[in-house]
Amino acid sequence: MVITAEKATMAKRITLCEMDHLSIGKKARLQRLLYEHGPGNGTMLFLPIDQGLEHGPIDFFENPAAADPEFQCKLALDGGYSGIVFHFGLAEKYMKHYAGKIPLVLKINGKTCIPPDDEAFSTLTGTVEDAVRLGADAIGYTLYVGSPAQDRDFDQFTAVRNEADRLGMPIIIWAYPRGEYVDKKGGKDSLYAIDYAARVACEVGADVVKINIPKVDHGKKADEPGEYKTLSLTWEESIQKVVHSAGKTMVLFSGGSKVDDAELLRNARTTMENGATGLIFGRNMWQRPMDQALNISRQVSEMMKSI
């Protein structure tokens, strides 16, 4: 079966008003992120600095100044971001002077990159109560879709979701396909894997999902299951399909490893024009010197205001 571009399902950006299932607490916090900070027009631009735990100090070699979280705090404040993403330790140590000025997304689970991702699982490093105490407007949770450890992941997430619902805290799921079986079915960045991850986030109760931009690897296309093998979509239509699969879950696209300005701006505009609610760009921003990081951040923010 070949699904042509003409048959592709179009997707539009979901609005906060359409998410009528949300509690008052979740709506109030998302209102701040969507309309009171950053681009402020119902979109979101986040600056994550969770890579120190996930990747180690190696990510700061390109711009040593970025090893100091004050760098990211100043960039988030002056660069027009909707919020900054910290793990517990950095939030407690560095947010005090920025409380109320930069919204916080508290990342509450994580892992190092030292073990392989064959059975990827991120254990808890914080709680929803920590997020409330630190004044966060959302929590971040990494869910490894397709990992052999997904049973533990789903159990852990269910407890987090119940607590977040009780306390009115929005949940952003980092939906990352990982594990040996994902690699055998087209790879972690294939449309099949990203599309599945978006749907899983919606199914388990995410309010927002962070995913990578799907890529086409013609060498692995035949490994993708079922109709994905013959799915014939443009890059833009692939993005629309992923957004559609997320349903009533807002979609943030990740920037991934650092790219040049032209590619960064092209990725940002293309995802926003095809249904994304926002962007979450870390290394692509803070691996640049401050003047360059501010310049590209402001360009992205201005582009988002015009979409």
Side-chain angles (χ1 to χ4, degrees), residues 9-13 239-245 273-276:
T9 302
M10 303 296 285
K12 69 179 184 67
R13 181 179 308 126
I239 293 168
Q240 291 171 19
K241 187 175 188 325
V242 168
V243 171
H244 180 72
S245 292
E273 287 180 341
N274 287 281

Side-chain angles (χ1 to χ4, degrees), residues 6-26:
E6 289 74 23
K7 296 179 184 176
T9 302
M10 303 296 285
K12 69 179 184 67
R13 181 179 308 126
I14 191 169
T15 66
L16 186 57
C17 290
E18 293 172 302
M19 298 176 71
D20 51 10
H21 59 284
L22 294 176
S23 67
I24 293 173
K26 286 194 175 191

